[in-house]
């Protein structure tokens, strides 16, 4: 099929984390020449922003808030996003994974808010919840939201900002998220957790913005009839969150700052 007769289309491109620093902008309007697919769009982006080439094969690409395969068709007005591996993600595996949830709807995710102006939420299943917040997180309050009388255990993970990283003293952290996509991915993790483990409910709350040392960055709470399933689901959820959810961490030291990507995060 010939593509040369197709007109150029206009798309919105968002840059996150270290990719934003390399491109020297947060977003841009880009005219894409045919063929209009992810591989071609990605190549045109690298030509327009050559500094992105330093990321090599680790750079990730999303279309309309979904990780995109190379043959994903792109239409006029689509939203593209370019970013490095998320704060605990694998550089190559995530970039080449096939996802089966590309047809899911974003209903109720974009811009959804609850509780305060600093909280964005994805709809959960009954008492499940998935949130991003710029407010301080009350770990106990998050845990109590998944407690049910029929459950025998609730396991809660409290991840917080530590002071020392590989011998360097951290002053504070800044977390950045691609909010609508992050909420969608968190909700997907919740759905998968129910499929993999015999749990009753799961809740995930992640902080964004500036965090001082000792402040909670993420809470995962899981309730289940039996403790083993709750433990296993909680450990699985934090591992997958760090691998797939588009949230990035920047550490600020006494002698500099750095985006934490891929295998460097834990």
């Amino acid at each position: 099929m010939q593509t040369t007769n197709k007109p150029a289309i206009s798309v919105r491109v968002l840059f996150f984390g270290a990719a934003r620093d390399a491109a020297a902008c947060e977003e841009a309007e880009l005219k894409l020449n045919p063929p209009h697919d992810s591989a071609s769009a990605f190549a045109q982006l690298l030509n327009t922003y050559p500094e992105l080439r330093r990321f090599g094969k680790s750079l990730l690409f999303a279309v309309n808030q979904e990780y995109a395969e190379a043959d994903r068709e792109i239409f006029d007005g689509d939203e593209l996003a370019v970013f490095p591996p998320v704060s605990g993600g694998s550089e190559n595996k995530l970039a080449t994974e096939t996802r089966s949830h590309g047809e899911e709807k974003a209903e109720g995710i974009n811009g959804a808010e609850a509780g305060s102006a600093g909280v964005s939420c994805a709809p959960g299943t009954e008492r499940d919840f998935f949130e991003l917040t710029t407010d301080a997180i009350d770990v106990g309050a998050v845990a109590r939201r998944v407690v049910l009388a029929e459950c025998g255990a609730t396991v809660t993970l409290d991840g917080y900002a530590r002071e020392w990283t590989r011998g360097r003293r951290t002053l504070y952290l800044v977390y950045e998220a691609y909010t609508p996509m992050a909420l969608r991915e968190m909700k997907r993790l919740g759905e998968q957790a129910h499929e993999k483990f015999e749990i009753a409910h799961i809740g995930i709350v992640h902080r964004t913005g500036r965090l001082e040392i000792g402040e909670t960055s993420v809470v995962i709470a899981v309730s289940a009839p039996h403790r083993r399933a709750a433990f296993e689901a909680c450990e699985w959820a934090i591992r997958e969150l760090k691998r797939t959810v588009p949230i990035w961490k920047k550490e600020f030291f006494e002698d500099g700052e750095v985006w934490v990507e891929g295998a460097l995060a834990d």
Side-chain angles (χ1 to χ4, degrees):
M1 182 178 67
Q2 292 185 341
T3 60
T4 54
N5 292 330
K6 289 186 176 181
I9 61 174
S10 179
V11 296
R12 181 190 184 206
V13 184
L14 306 178
F15 302 91
F16 292 95
R20 182 182 65 244
D21 294 345
C25 64
E26 293 186 1
E27 65 176 88
E29 293 292 326
L30 194 66
K31 293 288 186 182
L32 292 182
N33 296 316
H36 301 143
D37 57 33
S38 293
S40 177
F42 189 68
Q44 291 181 58
L45 275 170
L46 293 180
N47 289 333
T48 304
Y49 301 95
E51 289 299 318
L52 293 174
R53 296 183 185 277
R54 69 179 176 86
F55 293 97
K57 295 181 179 180
S58 70
L59 205 61
L60 302 178
F61 190 72
V63 177
N64 296 334
Q65 303 155 21
E66 297 175 347
Y67 288 107
E69 299 293 323
D71 59 355
R72 167 73 179 264
E73 189 172 3
I74 296 175
F75 298 94
D76 189 65
D78 278 353
E79 179 180 281
L80 313 185
V82 181
F83 44 83
V86 299
S87 66
S90 169
E91 293 186 356
N92 293 320
K93 183 177 180 181
L94 180 59
T96 58
E97 272 191 338
T98 299
R99 283 176 165 74
S100 61
H101 62 286
E103 299 302 320
E104 292 177 356
K105 301 298 183 181
E107 180 181 356
I109 294 179
N110 296 329
E113 298 183 350
S116 74
V119 180
S120 298
C121 309
T125 303
E126 297 179 358
R127 293 181 65 172
D128 291 357
F129 53 92
F130 311 97
E131 300 169 1
L132 298 174
T133 180
T134 56
D135 300 329
I137 301 175
D138 184 332
V139 180
V142 173
R144 288 191 294 272
R145 291 170 66 181
V146 298
V147 173
L148 293 176
E150 60 266 31
C151 291
T154 297
V155 173
T156 303
L157 180 144
D158 175 9
Y160 51 87
R162 60 174 175 260
E163 186 174 10
W164 293 90
T165 303
R166 296 174 181 83
R168 301 177 73 184
R169 182 169 179 264
T170 302
L171 301 180
Y172 63 93
L173 306 177
V174 170
Y175 280 92
E176 172 184 324
Y178 182 13
T179 298
M181 184 173 175
L183 292 172
R184 175 180 294 202
E185 287 293 310
M186 289 164 72
K187 182 175 183 291
R188 183 180 64 84
L189 291 185
E191 293 169 347
Q192 288 188 335
H194 280 283
E195 295 173 358
K196 291 177 176 290
F197 309 98
E198 294 183 4
I199 62 174
H201 294 294
I202 180 171
I204 304 175
V205 181
H206 204 297
R207 181 87 176 268
T208 58
R210 175 168 170 158
L211 276 74
E212 305 300 330
I213 300 304
E215 288 192 304
T216 293
S217 59
V218 60
V219 175
I220 300 177
V222 180
S223 60
H226 305 286
R227 64 181 181 273
R228 181 174 180 178
F231 273 109
E232 291 178 346
C234 196
E235 196 279 333
W236 175 86
I238 187 61
R239 184 175 65 247
E240 290 299 298
L241 183 147
K242 285 179 167 289
R243 195 177 69 89
T244 67
V245 178
I247 299 174
W248 301 271
K249 176 173 68 175
K250 194 172 192 178
E251 295 195 48
F252 290 80
F253 305 102
E254 294 176 310
D255 58 349
E257 60 193 56
V258 62
W259 286 103
V260 181
E261 301 167 6
L264 295 178
D266 59 17

